[in-house]
């Protein structure tokens, strides 16, 4: 079993938490990652900043700018990941970001570097299944999961293409839009998760617009995982270098909500 | 005998021009991109679509645009050329189109596609404002609501075009993120699109973005090269020796070049914006960039060692973009087209040269092409023919030029 697979075997949904690497600074990120684990995060999504985050809303755009203004580099991100792995041998770590920073030195270089850093998976916003050759084969060769995205626009006829080559888990983007505050209707989430679970044995996690414990619990009743991003990034924006304590406190409210969200088998 | 390899057969069925192009978009957009491709294939087979496109180009845009022999410019350039040298300079006058640039050709094609697809709302990005004006124009013509994203810096330096767009009924949204120029406007347009895929069509202004945009923009703009080829053959009985066009994303250049790509004796020169110089701030992605992925396609990009996109700079807002259409990336690598770069200063000189020798005020974008023409014409014999694309008129740029020349108006 991989670390990622282990994260989904409990009888409660996994809590997947996103922060941007280097926000508010390179030196502050490790403590924020520790705060996520302390608060009860089951999977860490570490955002790789990009100058042009075109799928992100204002909160994560601003986080990208803060991180890049702070001088974060790819080498810094890999070092943050490697040190996280040393401190937390069991918590899965996934890098999330855009194709260009991932492909800059070639996909094989990237996959090898992630393997050496102990990274478990990759979510790449702008490499759809049609362009899998750009990244997928290199990651699979190094045993790194490529987590695919499904969205409200992914019709049934396309689900097979999305799942082909996917591993780790499937990330259901519940809103046709950018990251942030917009929220999907619970009924549409339940319908989409059911369709995906009918098509795959991979765990299905749901994200975009999730920010309250109540929302997380409702989604957790049908999904295998709940992704929270912008809400955490906003706490980092507000508290800066002192964000660890409020982040941990917030994550605890989410993990507590999920602890009693018994998964309903599909 | 096998058919010779053609340079005109790109892209492949997945939208790749060699290693470039492709469909690097989020999953939310992917189904829409596939729908667009299907609809474009159907439109290409539909004589009614072609008939409506051609009719609008003739009676609304004013095509064919003239092909003009620039006699005084030719003579002026010969003054500094060696004996017997100094090629004839001809211009394809796409600045005489309705709205004053080549951009309208593509907008006509794309809005007809949008209507075919049942879309009821149009968005676009713009740099200099020419594509924004052209998009606002076709939206007014077909009665569709229109939102134009424009970098806040470009809004400041292109006020006349901002006002034009508003007169035409468009909503202009100033984009404050990043360097507040064309790249950031494109990011914001993509964010709008991903949230409104159900009813919105994105009219991309250049031969870039995810497949099938580079192909369909090229096809709509190829009217430039098809006309020019026929006009020059008619007037001189021969093909040109050299084609020259400015390149930001590269739509006017690919529109001129593509119909000539298999004419092996016709050389081609694409002209990027060297800004303050290739060692300083510039917008020459081919000269100073590396392959990467941005805005839906793989192509040459100005970027750092970590793949962060660099800010481009050009005096011309329309060339101020850190990428280039993927077909140009492929044509560069294949060696079929040569690419060079021209600085702000050289473009300003060429702008004034054309004003004074021909009575034509060119846009700053084709001023880059004119500067390159001035550079190469003197090394070509007098019976050689250079055909350059005069892709836009300069009315919009007079304030920028005055400012650069230190003149108060």
């Amino acid at each position: 079993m991989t670390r990622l697979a282990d994260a989904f075997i409990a009888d409660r949904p996994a809590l997947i938490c996103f922060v941007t690497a280097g926000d508010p600074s390179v030196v502050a990120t490790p403590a924020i990652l520790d705060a996520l684990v302390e608060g009860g995060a089951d999977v860490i999504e570490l955002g790789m900043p990009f100058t042009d985050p075109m799928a992100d809303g204002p909160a994560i755009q601003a986080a990208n700018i803060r991180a890049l203004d702070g001088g974060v580099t790819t080498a810094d991100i890999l070092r943050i990941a490697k040190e996280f792995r040393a401190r937390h041998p069991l918590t899965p770590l996934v890098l999330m970001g855009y194709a260009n920073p991932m492909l800059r030195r070639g996909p094989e270089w990237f996959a090898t570097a992630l393997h050496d850093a102990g990274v478990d998976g990759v979510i790449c916003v702008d490499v759809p299944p049609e362009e899998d050759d750009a990244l997928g084969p290199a990651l699979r060769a190094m045993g790194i999961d490529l987590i695919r995205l499904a969205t409200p626009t992914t019709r049934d006829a396309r689900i097979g293409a999305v799942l082909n080559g996917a591993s780790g888990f499937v990330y259901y983007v519940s809103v046709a839009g950018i990251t942030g505050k917009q929220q999907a209707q619970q009924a549409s989430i339940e319908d989409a998760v059911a369709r995906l679970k009918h098509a795959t044995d991979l765990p299905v996690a749901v994200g975009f617009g999730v920010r309250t414990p109540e929302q997380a619990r409702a989604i957790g009743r049908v999904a295998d995982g709940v992704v929270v991003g912008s809400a955490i990034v906003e706490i980092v924006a507000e508290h800066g270098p002192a964000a660890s304590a409020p982040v941990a406190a917030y994550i605890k409210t989410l993990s507590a909500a999920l602890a009693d969200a018994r998964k309903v088998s599909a | 005998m096998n058919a010779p390899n053609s340079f005109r057969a790109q892209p492949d069925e997945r939208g790749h021009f060699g290693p470039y192009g492709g469909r690097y978009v989020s999953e939310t957009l992917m189904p829409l991109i596939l729908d667009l491709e299907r609809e474009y294939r159907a439109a290409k087979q539909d004589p009614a679509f072609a008939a409506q496109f051609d009719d609008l180009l003739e009676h609304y845009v004013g095509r064919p645009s003239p092909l003009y022999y620039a006699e005084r410019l030719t003579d002026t350039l010969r003054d500094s050329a060696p004996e017997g040298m100094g090629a004839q300079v001809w211009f394809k006058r796409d600045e005489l189109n309705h709205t004053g640039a080549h951009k309208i050709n593509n907008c006509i094609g794309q809005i007809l596609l949008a209507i075919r697809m049942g879309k009821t709302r149009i968005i676009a990005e713009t740099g200099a404002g020419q594509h924004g004006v052209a998009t606002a124009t076709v939206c007014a013509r077909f009665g569709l609501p229109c939102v134009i994203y424009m970098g806040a810096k470009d809004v400041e330096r292109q006020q006349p075009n901002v006002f034009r767009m508003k007169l035409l009924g468009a909503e202009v949204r100033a984009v404050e993120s990043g360097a507040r120029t064309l790249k950031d406007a494109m990011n914001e347009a993509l964010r709008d699109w991903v949230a409104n895929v159900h009813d919105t069509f994105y009219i991309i202004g250049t031969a870039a973005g995810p497949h099938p945009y580079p192909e369909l923009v090229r096809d709509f703009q190829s009217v430039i090269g098809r006309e020019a080829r026929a006009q020059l053959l008619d007037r001189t009985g021969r093909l040109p020796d050299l084609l020259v066009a400015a390149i930001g994303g590269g739509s006017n250049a690919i529109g001129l070049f593509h119909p000539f790509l298999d004419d092996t004796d016709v050389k081609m020169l694409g002209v990027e914006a060297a800004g303050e110089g290739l060692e300083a701030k510039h917008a020459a992605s081919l000269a100073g960039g590396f392959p990467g992925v941005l805005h839906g396609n793989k192509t040459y990009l100005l970027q750092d060692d970590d793949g962060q996109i660099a800010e481009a700079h050009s005096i011309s807002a329309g060339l101020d973009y850190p990428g280039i259409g993927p077909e140009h990336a492929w044509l560069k690598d294949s060696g079929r087209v040569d690419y060079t770069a021209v600085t702000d200063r050289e473009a300003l000189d060429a702008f004034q040269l054309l004003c004074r020798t021909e009575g034509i005020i060119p846009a700053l974008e084709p001023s880059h092409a004119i500067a390159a023409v001035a550079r190469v014409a003197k090394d070509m014999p007098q019976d050689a023919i250079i055909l350059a694309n005069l892709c836009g008129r300069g009315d919009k740029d007079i304030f920028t030029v005055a400012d650069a020349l230190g003149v108060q108006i």
Side-chain angles (χ1 to χ4, degrees), chain B residues 135-155:
Chain B
T135 302
T137 298
V138 297
C139 288
R141 167 65 182 75
F142 288 96
L144 292 179
C146 171
V147 174
I148 305 291
Y149 290 93
M150 188 169 187
K153 183 178 168 190
D154 292 335
V155 169

Side-chain angles (χ1 to χ4, degrees), chain A residues 71-229:
Chain A
V72 68
T73 64
T74 299
D76 291 330
I77 297 166
L78 293 169
R79 195 181 65 249
I80 288 168
K82 191 167 189 167
E83 291 170 4
F84 177 87
R85 177 56 59 236
R87 293 195 307 281
H88 305 280
L90 301 178
T91 307
L93 180 67
V94 171
L95 284 194
M96 179 165 189
Y98 293 83
N100 203 49
M102 294 185 182
L103 299 176
R104 181 66 178 92
R105 295 174 178 85
E108 289 79 17
W109 182 93
F110 185 62
T112 304
L114 296 194
H115 179 266
D116 293 348
V119 171
D120 301 282
V122 167
I123 303 171
C124 185
V125 175
D126 50 352
V127 173
E130 281 77 1
E131 300 295 344
D132 185 71
D133 287 352
L135 185 60
L139 292 179
R140 286 188 278 274
M142 295 306 289
I144 293 169
D145 288 317
L146 177 63
I147 292 133
R148 284 271 176 71
L149 303 149
T151 74
T153 63
T154 310
R155 291 176 284 237
D156 282 344
R158 192 174 156 72
I159 287 178
V162 168
L163 294 171
N164 182 22
S167 62
F169 63 95
V170 178
Y171 184 149
Y172 179 64
V173 173
S174 62
V175 173
I178 52 179
T179 55
K181 290 183 174 166
Q182 220 186 335
Q183 290 164 12
Q185 295 294 320
Q186 179 69 16
S188 74
I189 292 174
E190 291 181 6
D191 174 61
V193 170
R195 287 194 296 133
L196 287 167
K197 291 190 74 66
H198 182 70
T200 181
D201 293 331
L202 288 172
V204 176
V206 176
F208 272 48
V210 184
R211 49 182 61 233
T212 68
E214 293 70 30
Q215 273 178 293
R217 185 187 290 119
I219 292 169
R221 273 197 257 277
V222 291
D224 303 301
V226 179
V227 187
V228 181

Side-chain angles (χ1 to χ4, degrees), chain B residues 322-351:
Chain B
I324 185 164
E327 192 159 14
H328 287 293
W330 176 74
L331 287 168
K332 173 197 160 74
D333 284 8
S334 71
R336 177 64 186 94
V337 178
D338 290 323
Y339 293 88
T340 188
V342 154
T343 64
D344 291 349
R345 187 76 251 165
E346 293 171 295
L348 273 169
D349 290 346
F351 176 97

Side-chain angles (χ1 to χ4, degrees), chain B residues 286-301:
Chain B
L286 292 177
F290 301 92
V293 173
L294 181 69
H295 293 153
N297 59 172
K298 188 175 198 182
T299 188
Y300 281 82
L301 301 171

Side-chain angles (χ1 to χ4, degrees), chain B residues 23-38:
Chain B
R23 293 176 283 213
Y24 292 87
V25 296
S26 67
E27 175 60 24
T28 308
L29 292 179
M30 199 62 219
L32 183 61
I33 295 283
L34 294 170
D35 287 348
L36 174 61
E37 186 186 355
R38 265 191 300 276

Side-chain angles (χ1 to χ4, degrees), chain B residues 271-304:
Chain B
V271 186
E272 296 189 287
E276 295 170 2
L278 291 179
E279 301 73 34
K281 293 191 295 178
H282 65 85
S285 327
L286 292 177
F290 301 92
V293 173
L294 181 69
H295 293 153
N297 59 172
K298 188 175 198 182
T299 188
Y300 281 82
L301 301 171
L302 299 179
Q303 55 179 318
D304 72 9

